[in-house]
Amino acid sequence: MYAYAFFIVYYIVACFYFFSSTLRLPQAAGSLAPAVVPVEYPKNYFRSPLDIPLILAGTFGELRTNHFHAGIDIKTQGKEGYNIYACAEGYVSRIKISGDGYGKTLYITHPNGYTTVYAHLSRLNGAIADYVRTQQYAQQQFEIDLAVPAGVLAVQKGQVVALSGNTGSSTAPHLHFEIRDTATEAPINPLLFGFDVGDTRNPVIQQVNVLPLDLAKRINGSRSILPARALGGGNYALSKNDVVMTTPFAGITVKTYDTQNASDNANGVYGIEIKKDGLSVFSFNMESFLFEHSRYINSHIDYDYDVNGGAAMHRCYVEPGNRLPVYNNLIQSGAIDLSDGATHQIEIIVRDAYNNTSRLNFAMRSTLTNQQMASPLPGTYRQLMYQGNPARYTDGNDFEAIFAPDAFYDDVYFKHSRRATSSSIYSDIHSVHEVSTPVHSYFDIGIVPRNLPETLRDKALIVRKSGSREIPLKKTRWDNEFLIGQDRQFGDFYVATDNTPPTIKVFKNYEKIKLSPASTVQFNIYDGLSGIASFNAYVDEQWNLMDYDKKSGALRGKIDVPLSAGTHQFRLEVRDDRGNLTTKAFNFLW
């Protein structure tokens, strides 16, 4: 009898934990988030950073890879070299020069508590350029990040501080422009500051997905994928008006974009609101955020079931591990409660920064009450990993994956498989979970290499295969027999070696050209696996500044050291992340 009673209690407890792990409502379930008090931003303080019309290629808060867009992208008519003006008086507080990212970037701090940021510049102007060049030579570094003391580089409103360009990770000439709160460095939507960007167009709603918040059902693809059609006047409808679910709680994701009067670019929207029976249960707006929160975009985006292309899908409910502070009016964190079996009216409202609004209405109900059990664990998955808890997965004695508590935004049914490889790879290929599942913090992948020669031990690294690309993991290190690397994306992992030095392609035969202070020497540098770690150029053994564009591999510069007439030597050294070195040297006439 006691054994029977124990079995009943154990069964009830086990069912509770299983059900709660497969149907976890997002954080703050049942709560109503406090209303956000609107901030009044100065409308006439900042002038335009350009003297051409402000036509946008990108808006604030757009959904980008692993981050929200922190500013607006202003088109420069497909050209570089437009004057960039200080938007108000202040002082240059930071200058960052990089071969990728924002490229050449200028930060100007203003006395009203804001800092403006100008990125992807082709070059800096006047005393600002001289200051940077002096610091680059002092540190013998092209890439540099300078905190400039107040008073060193004062600027006036309308002063030309730089020229527009296409440096860094930019894929076309434009100005990336930000306004930040100086005290917190939080970027703020520049369109709230009164810039003259014509926009009377309503946002476009492309698609709505309705998915169960039962994790197992969601994995099995049980969701409604509903293209939207325009009715005119900013109103939209779905391909079917009555959505029937088989779980008591549902989540909504929305694909939407915005355009401006002078541009058809599919730019990001300012905000989305979800109403259930006339009551707001979810809203967000892209007024401001902190950079430390930007990677939570991977929880905000719904990566699955995109049938329309274009912009990414906004998740209109908050997962347990999502710490973004951009949400408001949350009831059950945006989860749609259908457990009463009744039909509920849903309204989706999409706005841009100028309050142009689009609306879509439909009905929802569920055939399943919250007393019924969730779906069973899918059979192809190896382990259930709980959001908020550390996790470790091992397979045999030669593979492990270790996750921090904040790695996932929701519980994850984890899977792993392996397959044999060719002799040129020193391990099995490990297929780790699913590429579409986002990861917030770095996780460790550990693999014990197979048949790795001792002479190649310091050249070994773990790579992730992405299409035809091999992407080296960060912070590769040895822990006894395990080679360990860090990544924040799932995929296929294996051990490879890089003992091939970088390549240097010389743009011209400079030995047959007489060079002068106006001449530019140019190279292309490339490394096929571990990546370029450093480069240094020398003229007669004196360090010479070179300008690097990582996306194209272009390395160029002028002969920048004092020379007398005659023959001199130019030498370029390029080293990759595994320490392989290539040197190119030639004599030239001056």
Side-chain angles (χ1 to χ4, degrees), residues 117-352:
V117 182
Y118 315 76
H120 304 308
L121 307 170
S122 62
R123 67 178 177 87
L124 305 174
N125 193 45
I128 302 171
D130 294 339
Y131 181 85
V132 172
R133 181 178 178 277
T134 299
Q135 295 297 320
Q136 288 174 311
Y137 268 95
Q139 299 182 29
Q140 295 195 359
Q141 281 282 122
F142 163 70
E143 294 199 337
I144 199 165
D145 192 353
L146 302 172
V148 184
V152 173
L153 293 172
V155 297
Q156 299 301 314
K157 186 173 185 176
Q159 177 180 331
V160 177
V161 292
L163 298 182
S164 68
N166 187 31
T167 58
S169 299
S170 170
T171 56
H174 72 280
L175 173 67
H176 173 88
F177 175 70
E178 297 179 15
I179 298 179
R180 299 185 185 181
D181 178 277
T182 301
T184 65
E185 295 191 0
I188 303 166
N189 195 327
L191 299 184
L192 303 177
F193 288 80
F195 291 102
D196 184 18
V197 178
D199 187 357
T200 58
R201 296 180 176 181
N202 296 318
V204 175
I205 301 176
Q206 290 183 286
Q207 179 183 329
V208 174
N209 289 355
V210 184
L211 60 153
L213 295 187
D214 173 333
L215 178 60
K217 280 185 176 291
R218 199 157 74 245
I219 285 174
N220 290 329
S222 176
R223 66 163 72 196
S224 294
I225 305 170
L226 304 166
R229 69 180 190 276
L231 302 177
N235 295 307
Y236 287 78
L238 296 179
S239 53
K240 63 177 181 179
N241 187 54
D242 185 25
V243 179
V244 180
M245 303 298 293
T246 58
T247 52
F249 292 93
I252 293 173
T253 69
V254 179
K255 177 178 287 295
T256 180
Y257 67 88
D258 190 40
T259 62
Q260 288 76 45
N261 294 351
S263 173
D264 290 326
N265 283 65
N267 295 329
V269 301
Y270 180 74
I272 300 176
E273 182 179 12
I274 307 294
K275 289 186 176 181
K276 174 189 171 188
D277 299 329
L279 177 65
S280 182
V281 298
F282 170 92
S283 69
F284 87 94
N285 66 68
M286 276 300 159
E287 176 184 348
S288 180
F289 60 86
L290 293 172
F291 284 105
E292 65 193 71
H293 295 141
S294 193
R295 192 174 173 84
Y296 285 111
I297 191 173
N298 290 311
S299 180
H300 181 84
I301 290 177
D302 176 18
Y303 284 97
D304 296 322
Y305 302 99
D306 171 5
V307 299
N308 276 314
M313 297 198 72
H314 295 265
R315 191 186 305 275
C316 296
Y317 63 93
V318 184
E319 293 184 304
N322 185 350
R323 300 292 180 260
L324 270 174
V326 299
Y327 305 111
N328 193 34
N329 298 331
L330 296 180
I331 295 178
Q332 297 189 142
S333 293
I336 306 298
D337 187 349
L338 304 172
S339 60
D340 59 5
T343 298
H344 297 276
Q345 299 300 315
I346 306 299
E347 182 176 24
I348 300 173
I349 304 167
V350 182
R351 298 182 176 89
D352 65 20

Side-chain angles (χ1 to χ4, degrees), residues 80-113:
E80 300 183 36
Y82 281 98
N83 287 341
I84 302 298
Y85 300 94
C87 292
E89 69 169 319
Y91 67 94
V92 175
S93 54
R94 182 184 178 192
I95 305 168
K96 186 172 183 180
I97 308 296
S98 175
D100 56 6
Y102 279 8
K104 296 178 181 178
T105 313
L106 189 65
Y107 300 71
I108 299 176
T109 294
H110 307 282
N112 67 339

Side-chain angles (χ1 to χ4, degrees), residues 519-523 544-547 555-560 570:
S519 303
T520 298
V521 290
Q522 181 173 326
F523 309 86
N544 192 89
L545 177 65
M546 301 291 286
D547 197 300
L555 185 69
R556 59 175 67 89
K558 295 183 181 299
I559 305 299
D560 216 18
F570 186 98

